[in-house]
Amino acid sequence: MANLREVSVDAVSRRGALALAGQVGALMALSACSIREEKSYKPVLYLYPEASTDVTVELSFDGRLTYTYPQPEQGADGSATWSVTAHPDGDLVDAAGRHYPSLFWEGNASKAFSQDEGFIVEAGRESGFLEDKLAVLGLNDREAAEFITFWGPRIAERGTALVTFLGSQYADVARYRFTSGGQEFIPTTFIRVYIVIGDAPTSPTTTIPEQILIPAPARTGFTAVEWGGSDK
């Protein structure tokens, strides 16, 4: 009987170890999935028509939306659609008469963004750096101030950060469709600024090419402006 008890205890221990290993494996797999996602923080979209215009904006995002405001209509494909009246000063009004400065969303992109080029920014220099670069990229003073007060502290807290501004890498995963009066249209001017903040390389043999920014066009006609970003 003593031998039977010993075998039973040993078998239970092995089963427990196997169950624990299974749980650890599942957690590791879940963690790996999370690492592969890229969190997009606070993309906001401003609309500036030449005259007050009823506009429908549809966002198709390769990933999972985690928060939106104002509340859009959610499509079966995960898309989000807002319907507002846009005014030349940027004021957006929904069907209930509520006013908004912009359309807001956050989400987890299905793939991570790379930083093959960028700028090394030291803490204490982030405000001046962002003021200069955002002027090149086309944000006005109000938009730049909102950008800097959100992203400036995230750069500063790293001490030394690698900062990259994305183009098609981001635009390919977050796509907008604009319609008015049942007709699809493309904004005459569409300015999109998306920042990625990562740790600066620590190895002296690792060099990151400095990014060359393309100046934004002058604002003409119906203008849409978006900014957002990710930190790694």
Side-chain angles (χ1 to χ4, degrees), residues 38-39 41 113-115 117 119 121 126 129-130 147-148 150-166 194-200 228-232:
E38 185 87 9
K39 180 72 173 180
Y41 290 102
F113 299 127
S114 62
Q115 289 185 279
E117 58 182 359
F119 305 91
V121 182
E126 67 283 342
F129 165 81
L130 290 174
F147 185 105
I148 292 168
F150 185 82
W151 290 107
R154 292 171 181 260
I155 296 174
E157 69 185 10
R158 290 178 181 264
T160 304
L162 172 62
V163 175
T164 305
F165 295 96
L166 299 189
Y194 194 90
I195 192 173
V196 177
I197 302 169
D199 291 326
S230 304
D231 55 4
K232 293 182 175 293

Side-chain angles (χ1 to χ4, degrees), residues 168-223:
S168 60
Q169 224 188 136
Y170 168 69
D172 287 346
V173 302
R175 303 170 300 278
Y176 290 101
R177 179 172 176 265
F178 300 86
T179 58
S180 181
Q183 298 294 316
E184 184 173 354
F185 70 95
I186 298 174
T188 309
T189 307
F190 195 179
I191 297 170
R192 306 187 74 177
V193 179
Y194 194 90
I195 192 173
V196 177
I197 302 169
D199 291 326
T202 56
S203 171
T205 61
T206 301
T207 58
I208 301 294
E210 183 168 305
Q211 186 174 12
I212 299 175
L213 300 179
I214 299 174
R219 299 188 183 194
T220 59
F222 189 108
T223 297

Side-chain angles (χ1 to χ4, degrees), residues 5 12 33 46 56 59 61 65 83 94 99 119 125 131 146 164 173 182 189 209 216:
R5 281 197 297 271
V12 170
C33 290
Y46 308 93
T56 297
L59 168 67
F61 179 59
L65 296 177
S83 295
D94 65 13
H99 295 252
F119 305 91
R125 299 178 179 270
E131 287 174 350
E146 293 176 359
T164 305
V173 302
T189 307

